[in-house]
Amino acid sequence: MQRRAGGRAGPLPAAIGALCRALPLGSRPAPDTFRLAKFDRPQASPELWRLLYSLLKQIHEGGCTKSDTIDTQIRFVKSVLRYHGYGRPEFYQLPSDGSVGSRELLLAFSWLLHRINLLEQLLSVNRVKIRDETSLCTCGDNLLKSWKGMTELAPEHGLKNEVDIRYLQWLNGRLRFQWRSLHVDYQEQCKLLYKIHVYTNGSHMDQTVGHFSVTETDLIRQPDNYKQLMQLLESETSRLEAFLEWKQLEPVYWQWMIKGRERELLDEKEFSEAIGKIHKAVELKLSELKYQCAHKKNKMHGPCRLVFKDKHPASKMGFGRSRAKEALMNVSASELINELRMKEARLEKELKQLQEECRHKLTEVADGMDSVICIPPMKR
């Protein structure tokens, strides 16, 4: 890494070292990779492609597939970055063999650190789950506004050629099939989880819970597994400590990344465009905050602990926030299901309205085509 004028090492190696240690164990690059990428050395490109692929796979699909080719990995990384709104054309023009472009990959990695809070998401995805949890979200309206803003700021790097509508229909059918399979698997998981909670009810020392989780039940059946659990907890603790160190040294990293590259990366026009996008993003965030303040409701978002309750027959399974003492914030599964059904009804109504608008537009188009004859396809 770089050294100061007097030969004394600066805080930059410590910052990059903490950044690497905060990453998941199987995805950590060598710290020297960042220095090589800063000078656009081609030998750093393959490792950075693998790094981005591994990290983004963990966030979006729960794990990476080591058998994927470098071309598949690169296409996946580019598609995810396009989804998140990354707008450098130079990145999307990088070759599919991963031979060059280490500096562009370093910029993309740094953008993810800031734009989507990459480290925080990785810590959340890879944390050791001792309790039984599920993810809830009852703030869909805010998510829709965020998605709308994301698509407005996204780069215009679409498909060069037209896509066959039959291919899109096939993708839609495949997505529906996978969704049904996932739903069946999740139902089976819920049935097994319910059995564990019922059979162990009244056995837990914590009376606010009263039953064992899946992990706790497994430790009772196989006590030797506690060693592996302790190793996982120690590894997570070390990543959290590295993350805290990184947050203290983070400004050093950003100074190293912006420094000496302003004129090379952005000319005056590009800089003004970037500032304009930043202003739009800030305005979008402010509008979201104003909307949330004006329509403040008891919304839930994020992981919640699953707790079996048999005191109230109408509420067998409860969704409690992760903290044990926040009993007043619990919500029953039946209440959540009713809220989701109401939201489903609203979405169905909105869908019908949009379909009706499309029918009217098609009717208007058809009325203007008096001299055109439409012949339906012959049935075979």
Side-chain angles (χ1 to χ4, degrees), residues 224-242:
D224 292 339
N225 288 351
Y226 85 93
K227 296 180 181 179
Q228 181 181 4
L229 179 62
M230 289 299 298
Q231 292 176 354
L232 293 174
L233 291 173
E234 290 174 357
S235 176
E236 182 179 19
T237 301
S238 65
R239 290 200 305 271
L240 289 172
E241 292 174 348

Side-chain angles (χ1 to χ4, degrees), residues 163-378:
V163 180
D164 192 342
I165 188 64
R166 293 171 294 182
Y167 176 69
L168 296 179
Q169 292 174 339
W170 176 80
L171 286 179
N172 184 47
R174 183 181 179 185
L175 180 62
R176 288 179 177 271
F177 174 76
Q178 292 179 345
W179 175 254
R180 294 193 190 101
S181 301
L182 179 63
H183 181 66
V184 172
D185 293 340
Y186 192 72
Q187 283 183 320
E188 186 64 25
Q189 180 185 355
C190 290
K191 292 178 182 178
L192 297 175
L193 185 63
Y194 176 79
K195 290 181 179 180
I196 292 176
H197 288 179
V198 171
Y199 293 155
T200 62
N201 192 26
S203 304
H204 204 284
M205 294 178 60
D206 187 355
Q207 296 302 317
T208 60
V209 179
H211 58 76
F212 292 135
S213 65
V214 174
T215 303
E216 292 168 337
T217 305
D218 182 67
L219 288 176
I220 293 174
R221 295 180 57 190
Q222 306 180 56
D224 292 339
N225 288 351
Y226 85 93
K227 296 180 181 179
Q228 181 181 4
L229 179 62
M230 289 299 298
Q231 292 176 354
L232 293 174
L233 291 173
E234 290 174 357
S235 176
E236 182 179 19
T237 301
S238 65
R239 290 200 305 271
L240 289 172
E241 292 174 348
F243 175 74
L244 293 176
E245 183 181 355
W246 155 254
K247 296 306 291 184
Q248 294 178 349
L249 298 173
E250 186 177 6
V252 178
Y253 176 84
W254 294 117
Q255 184 181 8
W256 176 67
M257 285 295 299
I258 299 169
K259 184 178 180 180
R261 292 272 295 153
E262 293 88 346
R263 294 182 179 178
E264 184 177 352
L265 288 176
L266 299 173
D267 57 19
E268 185 175 353
K269 181 179 179 180
E270 291 174 330
F271 183 75
S272 61
E273 292 177 355
I275 292 296
K277 290 184 178 181
I278 292 174
H279 280 303
K280 290 182 180 179
V282 171
E283 292 176 358
L284 178 65
K285 289 293 183 182
L286 289 175
S287 63
E288 289 180 2
L289 290 174
K290 292 179 181 178
Y291 179 84
Q292 293 174 12
C293 293
H295 303 79
K296 189 174 182 181
K297 298 180 180 179
N298 186 20
K299 299 296 185 180
M300 299 183 68
H301 181 80
C304 293
R305 186 177 186 179
L306 289 171
V307 180
F308 173 78
K309 296 292 184 182
D310 59 352
K311 296 181 181 180
H312 305 288
S315 177
K316 288 291 184 181
M317 185 70 73
F319 294 84
R321 300 303 295 177
S322 297
R323 299 175 184 174
K325 294 185 179 181
E326 294 183 355
L328 295 177
M329 296 183 62
N330 291 351
V331 58
S332 67
S334 58
E335 294 174 355
L336 182 64
I337 291 173
N338 290 333
E339 184 175 351
L340 292 176
R341 284 175 176 170
M342 293 173 61
K343 183 178 294 186
E344 180 185 13
R346 291 196 300 268
L347 292 175
E348 287 285 349
K349 183 178 179 181
E350 183 179 352
L351 176 61
K352 291 180 180 179
Q353 291 177 351
L354 292 174
Q355 290 175 340
E356 189 65 26
E357 292 178 2
C358 290
R359 292 191 187 97
H360 286 304
K361 290 182 180 179
L362 288 175
T363 303
E364 293 177 358
V365 172
D367 291 341
M369 302 172 64
D370 296 334
S371 58
V372 178
I373 301 176
C374 298
I375 303 175
M378 297 179 61

Side-chain angles (χ1 to χ4, degrees), residues 28-47:
R28 296 175 184 173
D32 197 51
T33 303
F34 290 87
R35 181 186 64 84
L36 294 174
K38 180 69 180 297
F39 296 102
D40 205 19
R41 297 291 190 267
Q43 57 266 36
S45 298
E47 186 171 1

